[in-house]
Amino acid sequence: MEGEEEVLEPMSPSAQYLSSSALSLTILGVLETEDPINVDDNMSLVTDLFLPINPRFSSIMVTNKKGVRKWKRVEVNVEDHLIVPTFPSEMSVDYYDECFNDYMSKIAMEQLPNHRPLWEIHILRYPTKNAAGNYIFKLHHSLGDGYSLMGALLSCLQRVDDPSVPLTFPSRQSRTGPGTRKVWLRRIPRFFTGLGHTAYDFGWSLFKSTLMKDDKSPIRSGMDGVEFRPIVMTTTTFSIAQLGQIKTKLNVTINDVITGIIALGSRMYMQKGDEESCKSKTTALVLLNTRATRGYKSVDEMIKPNSDMPWGNQFTFLHVPLPKLTQSELLNPLDFVKKAHRVIKRQRNSAAVYLTGQLLSFIQMVRGHEAAGRHIHATLKNTSLAISNMIGPVEQISFANQPCKGLYFIFTGSPQSVTITVISYVGKLRIIVTTEKGFIDQNKMKSCIEHAFEVIYNAALEV
């Protein structure tokens, strides 16, 4: 027993409730290659490069007699985790595109086996509309959040132009106003305003997580078991330079711009499906990394004791109500960005985010990780969509000496009919729309988001 205990490591509270019976979230990260994939090169790559990144990739979850979960190191048979599907040869790109989408839906619905480490790498060697080949990294969310797993992935990647030079990322410089020097004069009234905002935001967030559901609409079926249904996905790209123009014109953040575009696009889609739903109660759950960082740390730095950017799940969520789509809003599309900015800024500056995290810790401590998992499940289910975004490299990257044409991620297991993920890469912003198959027309949803970008961009240029 003593020797066994030495190989066990505690699981964080977040890792436990993200792998509960009520909630099991999985991240699918996709690397699109410019050239056909040579599978023979990948076995040693996984063994020598991927596995040593973090002990979690060589561990399974075990539960002791008291119900406490821990990580246990095990021997890894890489062949069990490296999967190369076979499709009919010499078919059209359209055919392989459909195969890729069906395959993504298939593995998204499948649970990772608990008897081995919670990750898989799927290699699709067939050309699609977007790439000559695709690597799909399937990782359970209990291993880490997007920041941790992106940091792990980046440790396997190199710059195409110069592998010896580190990757760089888009600037996250904060906005400053003309009254910066006199901020201290406003601290006292802001303190009391912050208390009011904290009470309101935390109370409303708790209410949304427990009692108040969004209305059923063309983007929210509200059915039980949505997380177990097939998915379909589609992607679109926007120019980061153009998004930056909107950001500068409105003096907001890129996050505000993205949220505003998605909110307007969602309302436009809803209007096409049901005119009355434009005024329905609809909320987006915006997922945020709580680390105060402007870029990624190396995995070695993240796993150090008392790291200021620790490995794991360090995220929270904000409830952002979607403005109703009235004729006035259509004439003033920038209101969607401005309203997103006000809500996100207020919530980020209140202590509600901190209190939400403390509430989850309290639920975990008093009622266990299953209860905490049920609380997050209800939080997701009661809203209409989730938005998660990541920053990616400015330079083109290569994996296994193969240049990557694109990269993106989705997360599955959420009880919502639509989730939207966003990532930047080489001057472009990729938006991925993942929807409940048969309920939402993903291509129409994508075109509505594209149209929302156009009208917001054109309106911003006129400011």
Side-chain angles (χ1 to χ4, degrees):
M1 282 296 290
E2 200 170 309
E4 182 183 354
E5 288 299 320
E6 289 177 0
V7 297
L8 300 181
E9 297 179 34
M11 283 185 71
S12 69
S14 56
Q16 294 191 56
Y17 55 64
L18 287 171
S19 57
S20 64
S21 61
L23 183 74
S24 182
L25 298 181
T26 303
I27 298 172
L28 298 179
V30 181
L31 283 180
E32 300 170 328
T33 64
E34 283 189 350
D35 304 318
I37 296 174
N38 183 357
V39 177
D40 296 336
D41 296 338
N42 289 281
M43 189 71 73
S44 60
L45 186 75
V46 173
T47 304
D48 300 336
L49 199 59
F50 184 77
L51 279 182
I53 288 174
N54 192 293
R56 298 288 176 271
F57 297 140
S58 302
S59 302
I60 61 172
M61 289 188 291
V62 295
T63 307
N64 64 18
K65 294 179 181 178
K66 296 180 181 179
V68 177
R69 286 181 167 186
K70 293 190 175 183
W71 292 110
K72 180 179 180 180
R73 294 289 296 271
V74 295
E75 285 291 326
V76 179
N77 183 0
V78 173
E79 292 182 356
D80 291 339
H81 297 263
L82 203 59
I83 301 161
V84 186
T86 302
F87 302 138
S89 59
E90 299 182 2
M91 304 297 285
S92 68
V93 169
D94 287 338
Y95 176 84
Y96 291 129
D97 219 51
E98 190 172 340
C99 288
F100 174 80
N101 290 328
D102 290 343
Y103 191 80
M104 283 286 285
S105 181
K106 170 181 170 289
I107 65 173
M109 290 189 295
E110 294 173 345
Q111 292 291 314
L112 287 160
N114 288 324
H115 66 274
R116 63 188 190 214
L118 298 172
W119 61 271
E120 293 172 348
I121 300 176
H122 300 253
I123 304 175
L124 277 67
R125 300 166 293 169
Y126 305 91
T128 61
K129 292 176 182 176
N130 293 327
N134 290 271
Y135 289 96
I136 305 171
F137 293 80
K138 182 176 180 179
L139 306 140
H140 199 278
H141 216 316
S142 61
L143 296 173
D145 57 13
Y147 177 89
S148 299
L149 298 176
M150 177 63 84
L153 179 60
L154 291 174
S155 68
C156 302
L157 305 173
Q158 295 177 317
R159 285 175 60 153
V160 170
D161 59 349
D162 188 345
S164 65
V165 178
L167 294 165
T168 60
F169 299 88
S171 171
R172 273 186 163 179
Q173 291 178 350
S174 59
R175 296 171 296 109
T176 57
T180 304
R181 295 179 182 178
K182 297 182 180 180
V183 166
W184 64 272
L185 293 174
R186 297 191 292 269
R187 283 182 180 172
I188 294 177
R190 281 187 178 180
F191 172 75
F192 289 106
T193 301
L195 287 179
H197 287 165
T198 295
Y200 175 83
D201 292 336
F202 179 66
W204 191 66
S205 178
L206 182 60
F207 196 45
K208 282 293 299 177
S209 297
T210 53
L211 299 173
M212 187 169 66
K213 297 180 181 179
D214 276 2
D215 296 328
K216 291 185 179 181
S217 72
I219 65 168
R220 182 177 183 269
S221 68
M223 301 294 289
D224 290 333
V226 169
E227 62 268 39
F228 305 117
R229 300 187 181 193
I231 62 166
V232 286
M233 56 171 236
T234 185
T235 76
T236 187
T237 57
F238 299 139
S239 162
I240 290 179
Q242 290 180 313
L243 291 167
Q245 286 179 277
I246 302 171
K247 165 186 174 289
T248 302
K249 286 277 190 177
L250 301 184
N251 194 29
V252 296
T253 69
I254 288 289
N255 271 354
D256 300 333
V257 176
I258 295 168
T259 305
I261 290 169
I262 292 171
L264 177 56
S266 299
R267 282 296 193 192
M268 287 176 168
Y269 177 85
M270 294 165 70
Q271 182 186 48
K272 291 177 183 292
D274 177 8
E275 190 75 31
E276 289 302 310
S277 70
C278 295
K279 301 177 183 178
S280 65
K281 184 171 57 186
T282 305
T283 312
L285 201 67
V286 179
L287 307 177
L288 297 174
N289 170 28
T290 58
R291 301 172 181 85
T293 178
R294 294 175 185 235
Y296 295 99
K297 297 290 185 181
S298 69
V299 175
D300 288 341
E301 290 178 278
M302 283 193 276
I303 63 177
K304 286 179 181 176
N306 303 317
S307 170
D308 59 342
M309 305 294 171
W311 179 279
N313 283 284
Q314 305 282 329
F315 67 91
T316 188
F317 45 80
L318 304 179
H319 287 93
V320 179
L322 270 60
K324 294 178 172 58
L325 187 60
T326 62
Q327 191 61 34
S328 172
E329 298 287 356
L330 279 173
L331 293 173
N332 300 283
L334 298 182
D335 284 350
F336 276 80
V337 177
K338 292 174 181 177
K339 288 179 179 180
H341 167 69
R342 286 196 293 270
V343 172
I344 292 173
K345 181 181 179 182
R346 191 192 71 230
Q347 292 195 44
R348 293 198 80 157
N349 290 339
S350 78
V353 167
Y354 171 78
L355 292 177
T356 299
Q358 292 302 302
L359 174 65
L360 283 172
S361 298
F362 178 76
I363 294 172
Q364 166 105 3
M365 181 178 64
V366 175
R367 301 179 58 198
H369 67 269
E370 289 289 336
R374 287 193 296 270
H375 181 82
I376 297 180
H377 183 275
T379 300
L380 291 162
K381 187 178 180 182
N382 289 356
T383 56
S384 298
L385 70 155
I387 303 172
S388 177
N389 69 77
M390 299 285 297
I391 57 170
V394 171
E395 302 84 14
Q396 187 179 18
I397 55 175
S398 66
F399 178 72
N401 296 318
Q402 295 173 318
C404 295
K405 191 175 181 181
L407 77 161
Y408 60 90
F409 73 100
I410 65 171
F411 61 92
T412 64
S414 176
Q416 294 164 305
S417 298
V418 57
T419 59
I420 296 178
T421 49
V422 184
I423 189 167
S424 62
Y425 180 56
V426 195
K428 297 289 185 181
L429 193 83
R430 189 87 168 261
I431 293 184
I432 306 91
V433 181
T434 306
T435 62
E436 178 185 346
K437 188 174 184 178
F439 178 68
I440 293 177
D441 184 331
Q442 78 278 11
N443 291 317
K444 187 183 291 185
M445 181 83 169
K446 179 185 78 169
S447 69
C448 287
I449 292 174
E450 290 171 341
H451 183 55
F453 167 74
E454 289 175 13
V455 297
I456 287 175
Y457 178 69
N458 291 332
L461 293 183
E462 296 173 4
V463 173

